[in-house]
Amino acid sequence: MSTTDASLTAAQAAAVDHRDGPLLVLAGPGSGKTRVVTRRLARLVESGVRPRSLLAITFTNKAADEMQRRVAQLMPGARVWVSTFHRFCARLLREHAAMVGLQPNFTILDAGDQRQALRQILRDEDLDPVAFGAEKIGYRISAAKNDLIDADTYRRRYEEQSADHWQAAVVRVYPAYQRWLLASNAVDFDDLLLHTAVLLAENDELRSQLDERYRYIIVDEYQDTNRAQYQIVSALSQIHRNLCVTGDPDQSIYGWRGARIENILRFEGDYPDARVVRLEENFRSTQSIVRSADRLIGHNRKRKAKRLVTDNPEGEPVSLLCFRNEGHEAEGLAQRMQQLADAGRDWSDFAVFMRVNALSRQVERALMRRRIPHQVAAGAAFFDRAEVKDLIAYLRLLENPADRAAFSRIVNTPARNLGETSQRRLLRWANEQGLTPLEAAARAKEVPKLSKRSVAAFRAFAEMMAEFSLADAGAVAALVTRIINRTGYVRQWEGSPNEKDLERLENVKELVTAASEYDEAAGDERSLSGFLEQTALVNETDSLDTSRGQVTLMTLHAAKGLEYPVVFVLGVEQGLIPHERAIRDGSAEELEEERRLLFVGMTRAREQLFLTQTVERVLRGRTLPTIPSPFISELECTPEYVETSAPAPVWSSVPTLAANGDRSARDDHSPRPLLMTGAELLRGGTSQAELPRGFALGSQVRHPRYGVGTVVDIGGFGQRRTVTVTFRDDARTEKFVASQSPLQPVGH
């Protein structure tokens, strides 16, 4: 079918019709980026490009599946590969595993398995797993891998002189961890990228073959690529430079996990002949939402010039709702949803975004009290449940007998009277003999100091595992069922009245269902490695179901790529948005990423957008007064204080407060710079807007004695408002009473 579409804008058509040479598509939120990508793929096929020569890469399974669905509608029967980065790398590595020291049946470890392995390695290296948390060690190793620093390079670089004791620990743990992975024929998520980048860098013939195979490449969300992903994309587009990248620097929100906004900002430097197309028209949101979000992001400096516009209706003003505390906040949100639902909204119209997961607890309770159906975006959570991980481990060990993490998890699950001492002895002997754990279990009689009972149990376990195979079962779901029945795994919970046991049984049934769905989708191409890869590469939003009429709760990071008619963004307060880590860091880059994060959350809303803050909030067990986010003064919103009472919240009819504290409604749509605490809103008191201009978090100020510094904290109220500044020259930090200090904003 022809992909000519009169509904394409001129900018969209320019991106779709561009054929050869590099192309940068700067796509603002709601600008039809997915339509452009899928129609561009179809247009290339129409122009004579073979489908197998096309490769489209994005970041989430949901986005990849949606693109694949749309491509299939436009080009029935044409097989274009649309993949995530990690899926692409996993498939490539399975084809060329030997080049990186692996076997094709390697295991992809999840975060839990990685932490467990690191804890054991910390003990083996005589490092305290409590003092040196596996999660923090893992984060540092991940950062190194994303920057293409392998274990040997890291050791050579920091062995003689480490910056801190954590780095010294990583010098010891990182190489040991990689040896453990190699012995287990396993990789972690970051290895998928690192191994692929190294493979392409060190094997020019393979790189050329792949470059020739994929003559046209489209990379979505390019602003979220890290150094390893950048290297992979660059390696695949050296001969045929038909690289199209789409993205938006204003939506780069993953710097904390290695994403480099510079990759998209310097694209024209990497490809001087690149064509640049800007998609600035927003088709998603009302004018009030677009205008407010555009004003917010305009305060960032690290961006590409772009202005959001829309022909959509004006819509309702963006609302800033201020509550007494988080309990009132939760009740207020639940009641507002109920009111909107009574007026015709579906529960699936609502989404609640938060900076940190901890904020969801009160909201979930309020929704449950009102019996409002809801779901929490946590796609990986299902596969993190113990009973699901246990059964997945059986499949992993069956696929990869060298998988030490899987072996250790299930060799005594259900209980087989195999203690930790016996397991350590067997695994140590397996390492010495160069055997897999399953091979060692079959030869347990040869292991020194094992009791007869342990020998018998190990051998029985190995014999049982030999009974299982996908070929015999015929399908993954049938294999999972056979394992459940043969091991007696669920016997302990059957007939139990305990709610937790019933939940465990349901989770096991759900795993069988997931396997059945995979079998049906994969058809003749189903494989154990394919199912395991699908379960390992789960994204946070994969489990979201928008068809069941539920309110959705998720973090701001998880909201990327989604949209809802009505959005609530919780806790737009200093310390949450921007996060306290960004405040402590004090760098402009950190604060700009926090502003981008709020921008992403705001632009998910189609029709109504509510931002919230409280007078006080419990953080780490302490009730503390809050300070509004400095971002509030940068966007356009209508503030109001909302009074609720539990257990039956009642909305107060409180006149809208203008930015100057007057209790008079404002009908215009001019910006409302509001930097008042909730308490000041309540009493119509002094706002931060009355402080000298520039006293905002992260702003630069000058002191006649200490020089130039950065505002890192703002506290107190009214005449007692304080400003804390860290100065550049000697890194000293001083606190001043704002009304009495000689501080002057830089540039004033």
Side-chain angles (χ1 to χ4, degrees):
M1 61 174 286
S2 173
T3 59
T4 301
D5 189 342
S7 67
L8 291 175
T9 67
Q12 290 175 335
V16 168
D17 293 335
H18 177 90
R19 174 163 170 142
D20 296 329
L23 172 66
L24 169 61
V25 180
L26 293 171
S31 61
K33 174 168 60 69
T34 302
R35 170 189 284 189
V36 167
V37 170
T38 53
R39 278 165 172 73
R40 174 170 168 74
L41 289 169
R43 186 64 52 83
L44 287 169
V45 173
E46 272 189 349
S47 68
V49 177
R50 292 180 303 170
R52 69 181 303 274
S53 297
L54 300 173
L55 172 65
I57 302 178
T58 187
F59 274 79
T60 68
N61 297 324
K62 212 173 191 67
D65 292 344
E66 174 62 16
M67 285 186 185
Q68 194 79 67
R69 184 187 66 81
R70 293 199 197 184
V71 168
Q73 288 178 340
L74 292 168
M75 300 178 293
R79 297 176 64 86
V80 175
W81 192 11
V82 182
S83 175
T84 64
F85 263 106
H86 288 88
R87 280 184 176 176
F88 170 78
C89 292
R91 183 178 296 188
L92 187 63
L93 287 176
R94 292 200 191 280
E95 289 182 27
H96 306 283
M99 291 185 175
V100 293
L102 294 169
Q103 299 173 33
N105 61 337
F106 62 79
T107 295
I108 303 172
L109 295 188
D110 63 23
D113 290 324
Q114 181 191 38
R115 287 192 296 270
Q116 189 61 36
L118 288 172
R119 289 188 192 101
Q120 183 58 53
I121 292 167
L122 283 163
R123 287 190 287 267
D124 293 344
E125 293 292 323
D126 294 323
L127 294 168
D128 184 356
V130 177
F132 294 96
E135 189 166 355
K136 192 168 183 179
I137 291 287
Y139 177 82
R140 291 203 172 204
I141 292 174
S142 175
K145 289 182 177 182
N146 286 331
D147 278 340
L148 298 179
I149 304 173
D150 62 24
D152 289 339
T153 302
Y154 194 97
R155 178 182 53 78
R156 289 194 301 270
R157 184 175 297 181
Y158 300 114
E159 190 170 32
E160 296 299 323
Q161 186 174 7
S162 296
D164 54 46
H165 66 290
W166 280 95
Q167 195 171 76
V170 176
V171 166
R172 295 168 60 182
V173 173
Y174 187 3
Y177 172 57
Q178 291 306 113
R179 290 193 296 272
W180 182 91
L181 285 171
L182 192 62
S184 299
N185 188 34
V187 298
D188 58 28
F189 294 144
D190 301 305
D191 280 328
L192 291 173
L193 303 177
L194 176 61
H195 285 324
T196 302
V198 171
L199 191 65
L200 296 175
E202 296 182 352
N203 297 273
D204 193 60
E205 183 178 351
L206 174 62
R207 187 205 59 73
S208 297
Q209 290 174 0
L210 293 171
D211 197 338
E212 186 65 30
R213 181 191 305 178
Y214 303 114
R215 296 194 171 202
Y216 292 84
I217 299 175
I218 299 178
V219 181
D220 190 25
E221 305 288 6
Y222 194 65
Q223 76 280 348
D224 292 331
T225 53
N226 58 32
R227 185 180 177 188
Q229 290 159 333
Y230 172 84
Q231 291 289 94
I232 292 168
V233 172
S234 297
L236 293 176
S237 52
Q238 291 184 15
I239 300 173
H240 301 284
R241 300 171 67 256
N242 303 318
L243 172 63
C244 167
V245 302
T246 74
D248 182 7
D250 292 339
Q251 298 184 69
S252 178
I253 59 174
Y254 295 110
W256 54 277
R257 69 182 188 193
R260 295 189 169 197
I261 192 174
E262 291 80 11
N263 291 350
I264 193 168
L265 293 176
R266 72 181 186 191
F267 186 82
E268 294 148 283
D270 292 339
Y271 302 91
D273 56 333
R275 182 177 184 181
V276 179
V277 175
R278 286 174 167 80
L279 304 182
E280 299 176 306
E281 183 174 356
N282 181 290
F283 300 96
R284 174 189 300 155
S285 307
T286 62
Q287 289 184 29
S288 61
I289 294 171
V290 168
R291 185 171 55 248
S292 189
D294 194 51
R295 287 178 177 175
L296 171 72
I297 203 62
H299 286 77
N300 271 10
R301 295 185 177 181
K302 214 169 187 179
R303 63 192 300 257
K304 291 278 191 180
K306 184 171 79 291
R307 182 168 181 263
L308 291 183
V309 295
T310 184
D311 286 334
N312 287 338
E314 172 64 27
E316 298 184 24
V318 176
S319 296
L320 174 68
L321 307 178
C322 185
F323 302 89
R324 290 185 180 275
N325 55 42
E326 63 268 33
H328 285 251
E329 178 183 55
E331 291 290 352
L333 264 61
Q335 181 150 344
R336 178 60 63 91
M337 290 179 197
Q338 184 70 65
Q339 291 173 340
L340 292 171
D342 291 343
R345 288 283 187 194
D346 190 87
W347 293 123
S348 60
D349 287 351
F350 304 108
V352 182
F353 302 153
M354 62 213 75
R355 180 64 177 84
V356 293
N357 276 312
L359 296 187
S360 73
R361 184 173 60 90
Q362 292 279 2
V363 179
E364 288 184 72
R365 288 181 176 179
L367 295 177
M368 284 189 285
R369 280 194 293 269
R370 291 180 170 272
R371 298 185 178 180
I372 295 176
H374 60 280
Q375 60 181 333
V376 180
F382 174 75
F383 292 102
D384 282 340
R385 292 174 177 130
E387 55 275 12
V388 176
K389 285 177 70 71
D390 288 345
L391 292 171
I392 291 291
Y394 274 96
L395 299 179
R396 280 173 39 181
L397 189 61
L398 186 59
E399 175 69 9
N400 174 20
D403 190 335
R404 280 158 170 72
F407 179 87
S408 296
R409 184 174 189 93
I410 62 171
V411 70
N412 198 44
T413 304
R416 299 183 177 91
N417 296 314
L418 289 169
E420 290 187 11
T421 300
S422 296
Q423 293 179 46
R424 282 198 299 270
R425 285 173 178 167
L426 182 124
L427 288 174
R428 188 182 305 117
W429 186 77
N431 289 337
E432 293 169 355
Q433 301 299 315
L435 302 174
T436 69
L438 267 185
E439 290 171 335
R443 295 169 54 180
K445 190 174 182 180
E446 303 173 42
V447 180
K449 298 183 180 179
L450 277 186
S451 67
K452 290 183 179 179
R453 186 176 67 177
S454 294
V455 168
F458 277 126
R459 293 178 66 176
F461 175 75
E463 290 167 2
M464 179 189 68
M465 291 298 297
E467 297 174 15
F468 303 136
S469 76
L470 181 61
D472 291 340
V476 177
L479 178 58
V480 174
T481 302
R482 184 171 295 183
I483 290 171
I484 293 169
N485 294 335
R486 176 66 175 83
T487 60
Y489 184 79
V490 300
R491 199 172 298 145
Q492 56 188 319
W493 305 318
E494 290 175 335
S496 171
N498 185 285
E499 191 69 30
K500 287 289 185 183
D501 290 343
L502 294 175
E503 185 179 331
R504 294 183 181 105
L505 284 170
E506 288 303 315
N507 289 336
V508 170
K509 292 178 183 177
E510 184 62 27
L511 177 62
V512 176
T513 300
S516 296
E517 291 173 351
Y518 166 79
D519 288 331
E520 183 177 354
D524 293 339
E525 296 182 3
R526 62 177 173 264
S527 65
L528 196 48
S529 63
F531 178 68
L532 291 172
E533 187 173 299
Q534 179 174 293
T535 63
L537 301 179
V538 171
N539 297 126
E540 190 173 0
T541 58
D542 283 353
S543 66
L544 288 182
D545 185 350
T546 58
S547 65
R548 293 173 57 187
Q550 298 178 331
V551 175
T552 301
L553 285 71
M554 68 180 73
T555 64
L556 281 162
H557 284 98
K560 181 77 173 296
L562 303 175
E563 60 180 72
Y564 295 87
V566 184
V567 165
F568 297 85
V569 180
L570 291 188
V572 187
E573 301 156 10
Q574 181 174 314
L576 288 174
I577 310 173
H579 194 274
E580 61 181 350
R581 284 196 302 268
I583 298 171
R584 286 198 304 267
D585 182 271
S587 71
E589 288 80 6
E590 291 279 353
L591 286 170
E592 288 206 353
E593 179 152 326
E594 292 292 311
R595 186 181 285 110
R596 292 194 293 268
L597 187 57
L598 179 57
F599 173 78
V600 165
M602 293 175 65
T603 53
R604 302 309 94 194
R606 294 206 298 262
E607 300 168 28
Q608 289 180 274
L609 173 62
F610 300 92
L611 313 178
T612 77
Q613 59 181 222
T614 61
V615 174
E616 59 185 21
R617 192 180 294 276
V618 177
L619 295 172
R620 299 187 184 89
R622 297 177 60 198
T623 301
L624 300 171
T626 65
I627 298 174
S629 168
F631 300 151
I632 293 295
S633 67
E634 300 172 353
L635 52 85
E636 175 185 306
C637 63
T638 301
E640 64 175 294
Y641 189 87
V642 181
E643 189 71 59
T644 67
S645 59
V650 178
W651 286 85
S652 293
S653 179
V654 179
T656 299
L657 275 79
N660 61 8
D662 294 337
R663 294 182 178 273
S664 57
R666 294 177 56 166
D667 296 325
D668 66 350
H669 299 288
S670 58
R672 294 165 173 81
L674 178 71
L675 283 177
M676 285 182 279
T677 65
E680 292 167 337
L681 264 173
L682 183 60
R683 64 175 181 263
T686 305
S687 76
Q688 284 186 22
E690 294 172 4
L691 291 175
R693 184 183 175 194
F695 281 16
L697 199 63
S699 65
Q700 302 296 299
V701 294
R702 180 179 287 104
H703 189 279
R705 178 178 175 186
Y706 303 127
V708 175
T710 302
V711 176
V712 296
D713 193 19
I714 300 174
F717 308 112
Q719 293 300 311
R720 296 184 180 179
R721 178 78 71 200
T722 60
V723 179
T724 303
V725 180
T726 297
F727 293 96
R728 292 179 186 172
D729 292 343
D730 53 7
R732 76 162 61 220
T733 299
E734 300 284 347
K735 181 184 287 188
F736 306 91
V737 176
S739 62
Q740 302 173 12
S741 77
L743 290 172
Q744 291 294 325
V746 171
H748 292 270

